[in-house]
Coordinates of all heavy atoms in Angstrom, one line a residue:
V24 N -139.0 -6.8 -4.5 CA -137.8 -6.9 -5.5 C -136.8 -7.7 -4.6 O -136.5 -7.5 -3.5 CB -137.2 -5.4 -5.6 CG1 -136.0 -5.5 -6.4 CG2 -138.3 -4.7 -6.4
L25 N -136.3 -8.8 -5.3 CA -135.5 -9.8 -4.7 C -134.0 -9.7 -5.2 O -133.8 -9.4 -6.4 CB -136.0 -11.3 -4.9 CG -137.6 -11.3 -4.5 CD1 -138.0 -12.8 -4.9 CD2 -137.8 -11.0 -3.0
V26 N -133.1 -10.0 -4.3 CA -131.6 -10.0 -4.7 C -131.3 -10.9 -5.8 O -130.6 -10.7 -6.6 CB -130.8 -10.1 -3.5 CG1 -131.0 -11.5 -2.8 CG2 -129.3 -9.9 -3.8
N27 N -132.1 -12.0 -5.8 CA -131.8 -13.1 -6.8 C -132.1 -12.6 -8.2 O -131.7 -13.1 -9.3 CB -132.5 -14.2 -6.5 CG -131.8 -15.2 -5.4 OD1 -130.8 -14.9 -4.9 ND2 -132.7 -15.9 -4.6
S28 N -132.9 -11.6 -8.3 CA -133.3 -11.1 -9.6 C -132.1 -10.4 -10.3 O -132.2 -10.2 -11.5 CB -134.4 -10.0 -9.5 OG -135.6 -10.6 -8.8
M29 N -131.1 -10.1 -9.5 CA -129.8 -9.4 -10.2 C -128.8 -10.5 -10.7 O -127.9 -10.0 -11.1 CB -129.3 -8.6 -9.0 CG -130.1 -7.5 -8.4 SD -129.3 -6.8 -7.0 CE -127.8 -6.1 -7.6
A30 N -129.0 -11.8 -10.3 CA -128.0 -12.8 -10.6 C -127.5 -12.8 -12.0 O -126.2 -12.8 -12.1 CB -128.6 -14.1 -10.2
Q31 N -128.4 -12.9 -12.9 CA -127.9 -13.0 -14.3 C -127.1 -11.8 -14.8 O -126.1 -11.9 -15.5 CB -129.0 -13.4 -15.2 CG -129.7 -14.7 -15.1 CD -128.7 -15.8 -15.3 OE1 -128.2 -16.4 -14.3 NE2 -128.5 -16.2 -16.5
S32 N -127.6 -10.6 -14.3 CA -127.0 -9.4 -14.7 C -125.5 -9.3 -14.2 O -124.6 -8.9 -14.9 CB -127.8 -8.1 -14.3 OG -129.1 -8.2 -14.8
I33 N -125.4 -9.7 -13.0 CA -124.0 -9.7 -12.3 C -123.1 -10.7 -12.9 O -122.0 -10.3 -13.3 CB -124.2 -10.1 -10.8 CG1 -124.8 -8.8 -10.0 CG2 -122.9 -10.4 -10.1 CD1 -125.2 -9.1 -8.6
L34 N -123.5 -11.8 -13.2 CA -122.7 -12.8 -13.9 C -122.4 -12.4 -15.3 O -121.0 -12.5 -15.6 CB -123.4 -14.2 -14.0 CG -123.4 -14.8 -12.7 CD1 -124.5 -16.2 -12.7 CD2 -122.0 -15.4 -12.2
V35 N -123.3 -11.8 -16.0 CA -122.9 -11.3 -17.3 C -121.9 -10.1 -17.3 O -120.9 -10.1 -17.9 CB -124.3 -10.8 -18.1 CG1 -123.9 -10.0 -19.3 CG2 -125.1 -11.9 -18.5
K36 N -122.0 -9.3 -16.3 CA -121.1 -8.1 -16.2 C -119.8 -8.7 -15.8 O -118.8 -8.3 -16.4 CB -121.6 -7.2 -15.0 CG -120.9 -6.0 -14.9 CD -121.2 -5.0 -15.9 CE -120.6 -3.7 -15.8 NZ -121.0 -2.7 -16.7
L37 N -119.6 -9.5 -14.9 CA -118.2 -10.1 -14.4 C -117.7 -10.9 -15.6 O -116.5 -10.8 -15.7 CB -118.5 -10.9 -13.3 CG -119.0 -10.0 -12.0 CD1 -119.1 -11.1 -10.8 CD2 -117.9 -9.0 -11.6
R38 N -118.4 -11.6 -16.2 CA -117.8 -12.4 -17.3 C -117.3 -11.6 -18.6 O -116.3 -12.0 -19.2 CB -118.8 -13.5 -17.9 CG -119.0 -14.6 -16.9 CD -120.0 -15.7 -17.5 NE -120.1 -16.7 -16.5 CZ -120.8 -17.9 -16.8 NH1 -121.4 -18.1 -18.0 NH2 -121.0 -18.8 -15.9
T39 N -117.9 -10.5 -18.7 CA -117.5 -9.6 -19.9 C -116.7 -8.5 -19.6 O -116.2 -7.8 -20.5 CB -118.9 -9.1 -20.6 OG1 -119.6 -8.3 -19.6 CG2 -119.7 -10.3 -21.1
M40 N -116.5 -8.2 -18.3 CA -115.7 -7.0 -17.9 C -114.2 -7.4 -18.0 O -113.7 -8.4 -17.4 CB -116.0 -6.6 -16.5 CG -115.3 -5.5 -15.9 SD -115.6 -5.0 -14.3 CE -117.3 -4.4 -14.5
P41 N -113.3 -6.6 -18.6 CA -111.9 -6.9 -18.7 C -111.3 -6.8 -17.3 O -111.7 -6.1 -16.5 CB -111.4 -5.7 -19.5 CG -112.5 -5.2 -20.3 CD -113.7 -5.4 -19.5
I42 N -110.3 -7.6 -17.0 CA -109.8 -7.7 -15.9 C -109.1 -6.4 -15.3 O -109.2 -6.1 -14.1 CB -108.5 -8.8 -15.9 CG1 -108.2 -9.2 -14.4 CG2 -107.4 -8.3 -16.5 CD1 -109.1 -10.1 -13.7
E43 N -108.6 -5.5 -16.3 CA -108.0 -4.3 -15.9 C -109.3 -3.4 -15.3 O -109.0 -2.6 -14.3 CB -107.5 -3.5 -17.1 CG -106.4 -4.3 -17.7 CD -106.6 -5.4 -18.5 OE1 -107.9 -5.6 -18.9 OE2 -105.7 -6.3 -18.8
Q44 N -110.4 -3.5 -15.9 CA -111.6 -2.7 -15.4 C -111.9 -3.3 -14.1 O -112.3 -2.4 -13.2 CB -112.7 -2.7 -16.4 CG -113.8 -1.8 -16.1 CD -115.0 -1.9 -17.2 OE1 -114.8 -2.4 -18.3 NE2 -116.1 -1.5 -16.8
L45 N -112.1 -4.6 -13.9 CA -112.4 -5.1 -12.7 C -111.5 -4.7 -11.5 O -111.9 -4.5 -10.3 CB -112.6 -6.7 -12.8 CG -113.1 -7.4 -11.6 CD1 -114.5 -7.0 -11.3 CD2 -113.1 -8.9 -12.0
R46 N -110.3 -4.6 -11.8 CA -109.2 -4.3 -10.9 C -109.5 -3.0 -10.3 O -109.1 -2.6 -9.1 CB -107.8 -4.4 -11.5 CG -106.7 -4.1 -10.5 CD -105.4 -4.1 -11.2 NE -105.1 -5.5 -11.7 CZ -105.0 -5.8 -13.1 NH1 -105.0 -4.8 -14.0 NH2 -104.6 -6.9 -13.4
N47 N -110.1 -2.0 -11.0 CA -110.4 -0.6 -10.7 C -111.7 -0.4 -9.9 O -112.0 0.6 -9.5 CB -110.4 0.3 -11.9 CG -109.0 0.5 -12.5 OD1 -108.0 0.5 -11.7 ND2 -108.9 0.5 -13.8
I48 N -112.4 -1.4 -9.7 CA -113.7 -1.4 -9.0 C -113.4 -1.1 -7.6 O -112.5 -1.7 -6.9 CB -114.6 -2.6 -9.2 CG1 -115.1 -2.7 -10.7 CG2 -115.8 -2.6 -8.3 CD1 -115.9 -1.7 -11.2
Y49 N -114.2 -0.3 -7.0 CA -114.1 0.0 -5.5 C -114.2 -1.2 -4.7 O -114.9 -2.1 -4.7 CB -115.2 1.0 -5.2 CG -115.1 1.5 -3.7 CD1 -114.0 2.2 -3.2 CD2 -116.2 1.2 -2.8 CE1 -114.0 2.6 -1.9 CE2 -116.1 1.6 -1.5 CZ -115.0 2.3 -1.1 OH -115.0 2.7 0.3
E50 N -113.2 -1.2 -3.8 CA -113.0 -2.3 -2.7 C -112.4 -3.6 -3.2 O -112.2 -4.5 -2.5 CB -114.4 -2.6 -2.0 CG -114.7 -1.6 -0.8 CD -115.4 -2.1 0.2 OE1 -116.0 -3.2 0.1 OE2 -115.6 -1.4 1.3
I51 N -111.9 -3.7 -4.5 CA -111.3 -4.8 -5.0 C -109.8 -4.6 -4.9 O -109.3 -3.5 -5.5 CB -111.6 -5.1 -6.5 CG1 -113.2 -5.6 -6.6 CG2 -110.8 -6.1 -7.1 CD1 -113.6 -6.0 -7.9
S52 N -109.2 -5.5 -4.2 CA -107.7 -5.2 -4.0 C -107.0 -6.6 -3.7 O -107.9 -7.6 -3.7 CB -107.5 -4.3 -2.7 OG -108.1 -4.8 -1.5
E53 N -105.8 -6.6 -3.6 CA -105.0 -7.9 -3.1 C -105.2 -9.0 -4.1 O -105.3 -10.2 -3.9 CB -105.4 -8.3 -1.8 CG -105.3 -7.2 -0.7 CD -105.9 -7.7 0.6 OE1 -107.1 -8.2 0.5 OE2 -105.3 -7.4 1.7
G54 N -105.4 -8.6 -5.5 CA -105.7 -9.6 -6.5 C -106.9 -10.3 -6.5 O -107.1 -11.3 -7.1
L55 N -107.9 -9.6 -5.9 CA -109.3 -10.3 -5.8 C -109.9 -10.4 -7.1 O -110.7 -11.2 -7.3 CB -110.1 -9.5 -4.8 CG -111.6 -9.9 -4.5 CD1 -111.6 -11.4 -3.9 CD2 -112.4 -8.9 -3.8
E56 N -109.4 -9.4 -8.0 CA -110.1 -9.5 -9.2 C -110.0 -10.8 -10.1 O -110.8 -11.2 -10.8 CB -109.5 -8.4 -10.2 CG -108.0 -8.4 -10.5 CD -107.1 -7.7 -9.5 OE1 -107.7 -7.6 -8.3 OE2 -106.0 -7.4 -9.7
Y57 N -108.8 -11.5 -9.9 CA -108.6 -12.8 -10.4 C -109.5 -13.8 -9.9 O -110.0 -14.7 -10.6 CB -107.0 -13.1 -10.3 CG -106.2 -12.2 -11.0 CD1 -105.4 -11.3 -10.4 CD2 -106.0 -12.3 -12.4 CE1 -104.6 -10.4 -11.0 CE2 -105.1 -11.4 -13.1 CZ -104.4 -10.4 -12.3 OH -103.6 -9.6 -12.9
R58 N -109.7 -13.8 -8.6 CA -110.5 -14.7 -7.9 C -111.9 -14.6 -8.5 O -112.7 -15.5 -8.7 CB -110.4 -14.6 -6.5 CG -111.2 -15.5 -5.6 CD -110.7 -15.5 -4.2 NE -111.3 -16.3 -3.3 CZ -110.8 -16.8 -2.1 NH1 -109.8 -16.2 -1.6 NH2 -111.5 -17.7 -1.4
I59 N -112.4 -13.3 -8.5 CA -113.7 -13.0 -9.0 C -114.0 -13.5 -10.5 O -114.9 -14.2 -10.8 CB -114.0 -11.5 -8.8 CG1 -114.2 -11.0 -7.4 CG2 -115.3 -11.2 -9.7 CD1 -114.3 -9.7 -7.2
K60 N -113.0 -13.2 -11.3 CA -113.0 -13.5 -12.8 C -113.1 -15.0 -12.9 O -113.9 -15.6 -13.7 CB -111.9 -12.9 -13.4 CG -111.9 -12.9 -14.9 CD -113.0 -11.8 -15.2 CE -113.0 -11.6 -16.8 NZ -114.1 -10.7 -17.2
Q61 N -112.3 -15.7 -12.2 CA -112.2 -17.2 -12.3 C -113.7 -17.7 -11.7 O -114.2 -18.7 -12.3 CB -111.2 -17.9 -11.4 CG -111.1 -19.4 -11.4 CD -109.9 -19.8 -10.7 OE1 -109.2 -19.2 -10.0 NE2 -109.7 -21.2 -10.8
A62 N -114.1 -17.3 -10.7 CA -115.4 -17.7 -10.0 C -116.6 -17.4 -11.0 O -117.5 -18.2 -11.1 CB -115.6 -17.1 -8.6
A63 N -116.5 -16.2 -11.6 CA -117.6 -15.9 -12.6 C -117.8 -16.9 -13.8 O -118.8 -17.2 -14.3 CB -117.4 -14.4 -13.0
S64 N -116.6 -17.3 -14.1 CA -116.5 -18.2 -15.3 C -117.0 -19.7 -14.9 O -117.5 -20.4 -15.8 CB -115.2 -18.4 -15.8 OG -114.7 -17.1 -16.3
S65 N -116.7 -20.0 -13.6 CA -117.1 -21.4 -13.3 C -118.3 -21.6 -12.5 O -118.8 -22.8 -12.5 CB -116.0 -22.0 -12.4 OG -115.7 -21.2 -11.2
C66 N -119.0 -20.5 -12.0 CA -120.3 -20.6 -11.2 C -121.4 -20.3 -12.0 O -121.4 -19.4 -12.9 CB -120.1 -19.7 -10.0 SG -118.8 -20.0 -8.9
G67 N -122.5 -21.0 -11.7 CA -123.7 -20.8 -12.5 C -124.8 -19.8 -11.8 O -125.7 -19.5 -12.3
T68 N -124.5 -19.6 -10.5 CA -125.5 -18.8 -9.6 C -124.6 -17.8 -8.9 O -123.4 -18.0 -8.6 CB -126.2 -19.6 -8.7 OG1 -125.4 -20.3 -7.7 CG2 -127.0 -20.8 -9.5

């Protein structure tokens, strides 16, 4: 079982998750949710 097998699921989750929900995810702080959201929209892997 390989970590790359999770790639599409992770990108789908991050692109569809509202920013408010992402902000509440454990260990996300200091505005990291915006950085993650932007990266999920622009990155293909």
